[in-house]
Amino acid sequence: MQSLQSDSPLTALKGVGPALAKKLEKLNLKRVDDLLFLLPLRYEDRTQLVKVGALEAGARCLVSGEILLANTVFRGRRNLLVRIGDGSGQMTLRFFHFSRQQQVQFQPNSHVICFGEVRKGQSGFEMIHPEYRITQERQDTATTDSLTPIYPATEGVQQGRLRNLTDQALRLMHAKPPKELLPRKVTKRIGMPSLADAINYIHRPPPDADVQQMLSGTHPFQRRLVFEELLAHYLSLRNLRALTATENAIALTNGNEDVSSFVNELPFKLTNAQDRVISDILLDLAEPHPMMRLIQGDVGSGKTIVAAVACLKAIACGVQAAIMAPTEILAEQHWRSFSDWFRPLKITPAWLSGNQRAAPRRESLQSIADGSAQLIIGTHALFQKGFNFYRLGLVIIDEQHRFGVHQRMALRDKGISESGHPHQLVMTATPIPRTLAMAAYADLDTSIIDELPPKRQPVSTVAVPETRRSEVVERVRSSCAFGHQAYWVCPLIEESEALNCQAAEASYQMLTEALPNLRVGLVHGRMRPAEKERVMKAFKKGLIKLLVATTIIEVGVDVPNANLMIIENAERMGLSQLHQLRGRVGRGEAKSHCVLIYKLPLGHIAKERLTVLRDTNDGFIVAQRDLELRGPGELLGAKQTGLPDYRIANLVRDADLMPQVQICAEAILKETENHAAAIMRRWLGDASRYGKV
Ligand code: ADP
Ligand code: MG
């Protein structure tokens, strides 16, 4: 024990050999003190025995009871069922995998104490594969008096082992507390507990810990660590930004006349907000360092034209520009808009997507590599391996919340050449609340388009139960009879894309039958790209009056003549998604409407969402409410958000700390800069360079 230091390798601990050390490395654990920062993901409350009669499905509980019966049944495979009772009721323990020895263990009249998730089975409550212990005597009280920490799992390392290792690390910590890296004046002002106290409490909550606070992650000791973790991430993004400032980029200084004549020729006048954002961008581009700018603007605020101006500037300066969009439909629409806008300038965009046929693809890649393509538009295919740009000077990412930080960086890195890094512009229609933006986008400069083009009218929104679907169909009929167009968005079925498409086909069937005099079109994710394009074109031209679609039309699609949006199963969608979908209408001068069809009964949150949409068209308010109702993962993008996983912080719950985190970061960078690296190392390990793939 003498030689054990906080920075010793894990193999210095009892019971850790090279094989285990390797597994632990997957959890970013290399040194003994890394274990202190392996924080419990959650806690289990094994301090209370719950009576069978008081169980609720979904809860994880400790139950003690007498074994009444154990037998095996055949349900496709053999199941071992153990019936237990505690006087207040009976329940079943179910095992799919069990040994002969286990089977004979469960002797009637013995007792068992078990912990697991309660589920509703065919004959009352059951637990599947609970943890259990068999006792001869009846057990009336729980044997632990404090919350049980549950650590992040990795293959082949059991919770018990992690508890043992953290025990060893905690013992060492008591002899030698970890270094406080936060400035004293900050911890004092906020009244924060010491780091060692916080760590100890979180790993081993004492019996008198406030269970509710601990389970909800709001205990002052938790907040102490949350603060430091948020700080680590913030510093790392700041770091990335500082790094960018030292990188080279081609300064794009020419082409101002091209830009102004292009803007003057547009069929509309740019809004003041667009003008302002364009000047931000042009200033950035003229610098010999890469631009890293985020444009936030609500749906329909006119971000595309701003992107076009940036591209034109780049092309005029002799470098290539690339635009990446998250869906094929949106990328195609950009391809068409840019083709139209740039036709007089004889600039034809090259196209690159995953579904492209071999020959046109080869042609695109050729033109991208030899520089004859000045502008490249496409999907994720843009950052794939196996080809190079000739001279990429500007990367634009539309609907950036659909991509992760890593994808964004991958495209940027693809463009790195001896002349430097490409400039980067990312655009998002999801306006995120300020505190969250601080945490998520600290590596970017931000411009906001806070104004809609003139003559836009708010979309009026109503919610109706599906029992009134026929009235909605009638409404589509009469609106289209006036020459307007409409969207009908089909239910979102999370389980499978195939089911989604089936649902869309069924709605299409229903609507073509109900509206025989109307030309109805259908798009969904499983159609061939050429087919999708044909339908979208016909809709854009006004030939198709009603477009039945899955949520693939959620982002970007722009058909100003469409003024009616019908959304089915609206209760299943998130607020921001509904707002995006609704943003497909209200783009022309005619009054637009959105009808949200919902299935009864409506849950509390669903009701709340529909009310928010009915009451406001303002994306910022929608986003704020969405954040409160759902959490930042959903808000910043449904899948991998690119936000790294936090160990203990939760951006929604803890957003209120961000202003203090920011102040603290400034203080550290000014006064104790070496602490910044140590904080990042502590929380992010080698990933502290995240963002740099
Ligand atoms: P988003 O910000 O959602 O990407 P778009 O760029 O698709 O919005 O623009 C929405 C619609 O508004 C498009 O039809 C576009 O041509 C039009 N538009 C953009 N800017 C203006 C403007 N200044 N005046 C009038 N219409 C505009
Ligand atoms: Mg857009």
Side-chain angles (χ1 to χ4, degrees), residues 233 236-238 240-241 244 292 294 324 380 383 395 397 399-414 424 426 432 436-437 439-444 636-637 639-646 651 687-693:
H233 284 271
S236 125
L237 285 171
R238 285 286 307 256
L240 188 64
R241 179 183 182 146
T244 308
M292 291 279 269
L294 169 73
M324 177 163 79
H380 303 72
F383 64 77
V395 167
I397 297 171
E399 306 291 353
Q400 100 97 26
H401 59 286
R402 290 300 193 91
F403 298 100
V405 174
H406 291 93
Q407 290 173 314
R408 161 152 85 76
M409 293 299 159
L411 179 54
R412 191 185 80 129
D413 287 357
K414 257 195 99 56
Q424 199 177 120
V426 302
I432 64 175
L436 182 53
Y441 297 134
D443 61 328
L444 302 169
L636 293 171
K639 299 189 191 79
Q640 206 356 312
T641 57
L643 283 180
D645 288 336
Y646 288 82
L651 285 183
S688 55
R689 287 157 48 82
Y690 95 83
K692 290 290 283 176
V693 255

Side-chain angles (χ1 to χ4, degrees), residues 607-676:
K607 200 179 273 171
E608 181 66 30
R609 275 192 215 127
L610 300 186
T611 312
V612 171
L613 286 169
R614 228 174 28 212
D615 294 349
T616 186
N617 271 275
D618 182 328
F620 272 95
I621 297 176
V622 170
Q624 180 62 47
R625 295 296 292 132
D626 202 14
L627 185 61
E628 291 158 15
L629 290 172
R630 283 213 305 183
E634 297 290 347
L635 185 59
L636 293 171
K639 299 189 191 79
Q640 206 356 312
T641 57
L643 283 180
D645 288 336
Y646 288 82
R647 296 174 187 213
I648 187 169
N650 169 319
L651 285 183
V652 177
R653 187 188 62 206
D654 307 319
D656 62 304
L657 289 174
M658 278 316 293
Q660 286 298 334
V661 165
Q662 199 175 27
I663 294 170
C664 182
E666 305 304 334
I668 290 177
L669 292 174
K670 213 156 87 211
E671 291 151 31
T672 46
E673 225 206 311
N674 57 333
H675 285 185

Side-chain angles (χ1 to χ4, degrees), residues 461-470 472 488-492 565-573 578 594-611 613-614:
T461 304
V462 294
V464 303
E466 65 177 352
T467 46
R468 289 172 52 195
R469 186 180 279 117
S470 56
V472 181
W488 189 291
V489 178
C490 301
L492 177 69
M565 167 63 69
I566 316 292
I567 305 174
E568 288 220 57
N569 274 152
E571 79 284 354
R572 287 208 204 159
M573 297 186 199
L578 289 168
C594 174
V595 181
L596 306 170
I597 302 181
Y598 60 84
K599 219 192 201 97
L600 289 165
L602 208 49
H604 162 69
I605 292 190
K607 200 179 273 171
E608 181 66 30
R609 275 192 215 127
L610 300 186
T611 312
L613 286 169
R614 228 174 28 212

Side-chain angles (χ1 to χ4, degrees), residues 495-537:
E495 294 79 38
S496 105
E497 176 69 8
L499 285 179
N500 262 321
C501 302
Q502 255 177 37
E505 265 155 16
S507 301
Y508 174 71
Q509 202 68 38
M510 181 276 283
L511 289 162
T512 34
E513 276 163 29
L515 300 164
N517 298 323
L518 213 64
R519 188 158 161 211
V520 184
L522 170 69
V523 280
H524 62 60
R526 289 236 160 156
M527 283 161 55
R528 281 185 295 111
E531 180 67 3
K532 263 189 277 182
E533 196 186 340
R534 197 183 54 74
V535 174
M536 290 308 295
K537 239 187 204 150

